[in-house]
Amino acid sequence: MADCLFCSIIAGDLPSDRVGENEVAVAFRDINPRAPVHVLVVPRRHLTSAHELSDDDGDELAAVFSLARQVAEAEGTADGYRVTTNIGRGGGQMVDHLHLHVLGGRQLGHIDSLTGDDG
Ligand code: AMP
Ligand code: ZN
């Protein structure tokens, strides 16, 4: 999609620190990491957010999560990590191309830290 940051990164038109890929998705390091491991797993197909997924997207979604698992293993954080996706401005989404944040490499907070005043 034109004028989409992550589509441009996937196409190789903009640089990224790519750490993995499969036929469905690409993984690259977040430019502003919030944890020692902070990788974005991004489907090659442009979808604005997870809210656009349909009942037919199961295979694609499984491949996206498979890449997230591979990233966690390769980064040495398979024993504990978080996969999250933000939806819409109210949900904290800034880049309008569906992506998973894979966060790990340190002790992560309880879910309350995501929903309370400190989240
Ligand atoms: P979200 O707020 O869920 O849309 O997350 C977007 C993420 O993209 C943020 O964590 C940003 O730090 C990250 N980001 C923005 N620009 C780039 C870029 N050029 N390369 C890698 N990560 C980026
Ligand atoms: Zn896109």
Side-chain angles (χ1 to χ4, degrees):
M1 185 188 188
D3 299 328
C4 171
L5 175 64
F6 287 172
C7 281
S8 297
I9 287 176
I10 291 163
D13 295 334
L14 289 175
S16 70
D17 186 357
R18 199 175 285 211
V19 297
E21 60 186 297
N22 62 21
E23 67 283 359
V24 161
V26 172
F28 52 88
R29 296 193 193 283
D30 196 291
I31 203 168
N32 179 23
R34 277 61 151 219
V37 176
H38 189 173
V39 172
L40 303 175
V41 176
V42 186
R44 296 180 188 273
R45 180 167 70 110
H46 181 93
L47 289 169
T48 300
S49 77
H51 198 71
E52 285 195 344
L53 287 164
S54 76
D55 293 348
D56 298 327
D57 295 332
D59 288 350
E60 182 179 16
L61 201 51
V64 171
F65 271 87
S66 175
L67 183 55
R69 184 186 69 247
Q70 290 172 40
V71 166
E73 290 171 350
E75 297 288 321
T77 192
D79 59 328
Y81 61 104
R82 175 171 293 144
V83 175
T84 189
T85 190
N86 299 322
I87 299 173
R89 293 291 173 270
Q93 183 178 11
M94 297 303 293
V95 178
D96 291 335
H97 181 134
L98 170 61
H99 52 283
L100 303 182
H101 295 260
V102 178
L103 295 150
R106 65 167 168 80
Q107 179 62 53
L108 297 173
H110 186 265
I111 186 66
D112 287 347
S113 69
L114 299 178
T115 54
D117 289 340
D118 56 346

